[in-house]
Amino acid sequence: MNHPAITEPAEDEERLQLAARTAQRIITQCRAHAQTVVGKLSDRIKSTSVSTPCGQDVAAGRAGSHRVAFQERLDILESMSNAVVSYLCGLEVLLKHETLYSLSTVPILRSLAEVAATCHWMLEPGLTADDRAARGYASLFHTVEQNRALVEDYAKVREQLVEIVTESGGKIQRRVRDGETTEEVGTVRVGRAHAKTAFKYHHRLEQQIPAISSMYSGMSAMIHGETAALGLAWDSADVLLRMVAKVALESTRAWSEAVNTWTGTEYQAPFVNEADAANIIRSMPPELIAEFEAELRQAQDGR
């Protein structure tokens, strides 16, 4: 891998070119790292030590304790990890095309951030086995509820899940709406841990990847075709490219941290060249750098 020097662009066009090169390089490095992690994931889960969070969950599942929640965790990990790779591959294709279709990167970029945040939430470092079980059950109830139109006899399926949770020692709390208790499951409790079934992605980004949470509304505005946001995409390609680089980097980093911590895999060298990461900021107009760095420090301190 070539290690470019950190540069000091003087003109707008130079900043644009630096932002484009930086985004391309960061996406390529993130994609390569994600593919490596996913390629080794199955073997790492099979050979994990009981001292790791994954090993503790495997042992609990084999013993019959919260096996359904564990299976949901594995299903999410597999599907969303493959999605991380796929989204990064898509971004790489777009950024390396001879014509830059910058706006087309945004739906992929937002999806990448969402799946990375959910993976990090499910396997967040520092959680107990009960925390992970509660989140696994909550995710399962959320999935069933969101797809209720496709589930035959949805109410029956929901109550069967309630039985599974309670038979495993968990508890469910029904959702209260307008002062009335409904049949929907609002919270799952396992031991002292609890997890809500409903969530909003911008809140999940704030909690799991705060360094990019402020960009989520901007991405959504572009996807929804809001005039001001589209104007930024057309008129300030360098801003959009920096967003692509930053969101992809922090999303991949959060996903990787969660997966590797859960499986007990020690981190190797940083998967993105430090000079490339620094060039995200170096490609900015000088008057914006101090403001950006202050916001970044605030986000990191708040995590």
Side-chain angles (χ1 to χ4, degrees):
M1 179 186 298
N2 294 326
H3 287 212
I6 297 177
T7 55
E8 297 287 352
E11 304 293 339
D12 288 347
E13 181 59 27
E14 291 180 12
R15 280 193 289 269
L16 174 59
Q17 293 302 320
L18 177 59
R21 292 193 303 272
T22 299
Q24 290 172 359
R25 289 179 59 83
I26 286 177
I27 293 298
T28 295
Q29 293 167 73
C30 287
R31 185 267 306 155
H33 174 71
Q35 286 181 323
T36 298
V37 173
V38 170
K40 297 177 179 180
L41 187 55
S42 179
D43 288 340
R44 285 174 175 169
I45 292 174
K46 291 177 182 177
S47 63
T48 189
S49 165
V50 72
S51 64
T52 67
C54 175
Q56 295 165 10
D57 292 346
V58 169
R62 287 173 177 169
S65 176
H66 306 300
R67 183 178 298 169
V68 173
F70 176 62
Q71 187 59 52
E72 173 69 5
R73 200 171 313 132
L74 289 181
D75 291 344
I76 286 180
L77 178 59
E78 179 182 9
S79 62
M80 292 198 170
S81 293
N82 287 329
V84 165
V85 172
S86 182
Y87 291 142
L88 288 168
C89 287
L91 289 171
E92 188 175 25
V93 169
L94 285 172
L95 290 176
K96 289 187 174 180
H97 194 275
E98 60 182 14
T99 301
L100 176 61
Y101 296 103
S102 56
L103 195 60
S104 300
T105 65
V106 180
I108 301 175
L109 190 66
R110 190 180 74 161
S111 296
L112 172 63
E114 290 172 348
V115 299
T118 293
C119 264
H120 196 275
W121 174 79
M122 182 70 73
L123 304 176
E124 187 174 356
L127 293 182
T128 66
D130 283 351
D131 286 319
R132 291 189 296 274
R135 293 185 182 192
Y137 285 130
S139 176
L140 189 54
F141 279 113
H142 175 81
T143 298
V144 171
E145 183 177 343
Q146 291 298 303
N147 293 278
R148 60 189 305 165
L150 304 176
V151 177
E152 184 177 352
D153 201 345
Y154 160 71
K156 181 179 179 180
V157 171
R158 181 194 61 219
E159 296 309 311
Q160 287 174 339
L161 289 176
V162 169
E163 288 184 15
I164 290 172
V165 173
T166 55
E167 288 174 357
S168 297
K171 299 178 181 179
I172 64 98
Q173 182 176 327
R174 303 288 179 170
R175 184 174 299 141
V176 177
R177 185 179 292 112
D178 298 328
E180 297 291 332
T181 300
T182 70
E183 294 299 315
E184 303 295 343
V185 175
T187 302
V188 180
R189 298 184 181 277
V190 176
R192 296 183 178 181
H194 70 278
K196 293 183 177 181
T197 61
F199 69 93
K200 295 185 181 297
Y201 274 111
H202 70 273
H203 290 152
R204 183 156 287 179
L205 264 291
E206 288 174 357
Q207 296 167 354
Q208 305 300 324
I209 321 179
I212 60 173
S213 61
S214 62
M215 304 179 195
Y216 187 78
S217 60
M219 290 188 285
S220 297
M222 291 180 193
I223 292 171
H224 297 151
E226 295 183 14
T227 304
L230 292 178
L232 174 65
W234 299 133
D235 299 336
S236 304
D238 61 321
V239 175
L240 186 52
L241 286 165
R242 282 191 291 273
M243 182 177 72
V244 170
K246 184 64 177 175
V247 172
L249 173 58
E250 296 298 339
S251 296
T252 305
R253 184 177 285 159
W255 164 81
S256 178
E257 175 195 41
V259 172
N260 285 319
T261 301
W262 185 63
T263 58
T265 305
E266 293 185 6
Y267 277 108
Q268 305 300 318
F271 61 86
V272 166
N273 181 357
E274 292 180 5
D276 289 320
N279 277 337
I280 297 175
I281 298 176
R282 296 285 180 168
S283 68
M284 299 175 68
E287 63 272 15
L288 297 181
I289 291 178
E291 179 182 353
F292 177 83
E293 290 180 332
E295 291 178 354
L296 182 59
R297 285 193 298 270
Q298 182 178 3
Q300 291 171 336
D301 291 343
R303 182 163 181 173

